[in-house]
Amino acid sequence: AAGVIQSPRHLIKEKRETATLKCYPIPRHDTVYWYQQGPGQDPQFLISFYEKMQSDKGSIPDRFSAQQFSDYHSELNMSSLELGDSALYFCASSWGIRPNTEAFFGQGTRLTVV
Amino acid sequence: DAKTTQPPSMDCAEGRAANLPCNHSTISGNEYVYWYRQIHSQGPQYIIHGLKNNETNEMASLIITEDRKSSTLILPHATLRDTAVYYCIVTGNTPLVFGKGTRLSVIA
């Protein structure tokens, strides 16, 4: 079965650079979630989109922005990168945002800021 | 405030049942109990979820107490591949919020 696809899997950027992470949800899923997981930390919710509109906002820095496109894929744009942005970034998708629906996660993008 | 409380770590012998408890005493009537696990730096993996009835799938069973204030995830025959951090999450219409979870170590 098709899963959530994230690209790239690994990314190395220098401080103050910009990075773009991409997420391709499971076919027919209309909701996308972004999570950040720092070293030794638990995943932290950043932002989510339902039917191409922002549905919830978590602890996403102002330097980050995201959107969901007409084909339901999503991109997380990160500017003015800081060393502390080094983390695993996970995307998840689900069908709808009802409580009774499971979300499936991709394998993540490991961002290293040097 | 954390919605769930889980023990930080547990051990389980390979082949035995792993019973992972979770307390969620402030759960609301429309909130579900979800279980996910994360195997070292991989994406969190959905296991099971339920509202008030016990649930079973090919991976695990979920037992929810009648007052819904606690639940137990049961892995019937734990294998070494089940070693992971297990997260119990209570959610209604909000995205999944991961707490500290339980680090389960399956021992040969």
Side-chain angles (χ1 to χ4, degrees), chain A residues 65-113:
Chain A
S65 65
Q67 62 181 111
Q68 186 179 31
F69 295 86
S70 58
D71 63 351
Y72 295 102
H73 94 272
S74 178
E75 295 183 3
L76 177 66
N77 298 293
M78 312 160 68
S79 63
S80 302
L81 287 169
E82 302 173 355
L83 296 179
D85 296 328
S86 296
L88 275 167
Y89 290 83
F90 292 108
C91 170
S93 74
S94 69
W95 182 59
I97 55 174
R98 304 184 300 278
N100 187 21
T101 181
E102 54 266 36
F104 296 93
F105 284 76
Q107 287 307 296
T109 294
R110 182 176 294 279
L111 173 66
T112 302
V113 182

Side-chain angles (χ1 to χ4, degrees), chain A residues 18-74:
Chain A
T18 297
T20 297
L21 309 185
K22 297 184 178 182
C23 170
Y24 298 88
I26 292 172
R28 293 184 294 280
H29 280 192
D30 52 14
T31 306
V32 168
Y33 311 83
W34 285 96
Y35 287 81
Q36 178 192 58
Q37 186 172 25
Q41 303 295 312
D42 303 296
Q44 297 296 312
F45 171 69
L46 293 178
I47 196 168
S48 62
F49 293 87
Y50 168 63
E51 282 292 344
K52 292 153 279 184
M53 298 289 290
Q54 181 181 308
S55 52
D56 284 282
K57 190 173 183 179
S59 52
I60 184 169
D62 292 340
R63 298 177 289 109
F64 294 6
S65 65
Q67 62 181 111
Q68 186 179 31
F69 295 86
S70 58
D71 63 351
Y72 295 102
H73 94 272
S74 178

Side-chain angles (χ1 to χ4, degrees), chain B residues 50-104:
Chain B
L51 181 63
K52 56 183 179 180
N53 297 321
N54 297 339
E55 302 288 343
T56 296
N57 62 20
E58 63 277 6
M59 288 184 67
S61 294
L62 174 60
I63 308 298
I64 303 174
T65 58
E66 191 169 346
D67 63 7
R68 302 213 317 129
K69 292 185 177 182
S70 65
S71 61
T72 301
L73 177 73
I74 301 173
L75 306 179
H77 305 287
T79 70
L80 298 177
R81 288 191 299 272
D82 292 320
T83 292
V85 178
Y86 287 76
Y87 295 97
C88 169
I89 302 170
V90 166
T91 184
N93 286 314
T94 55
L96 302 170
V97 175
F98 290 82
K100 290 299 179 185
T102 295
R103 183 173 297 277
L104 175 69

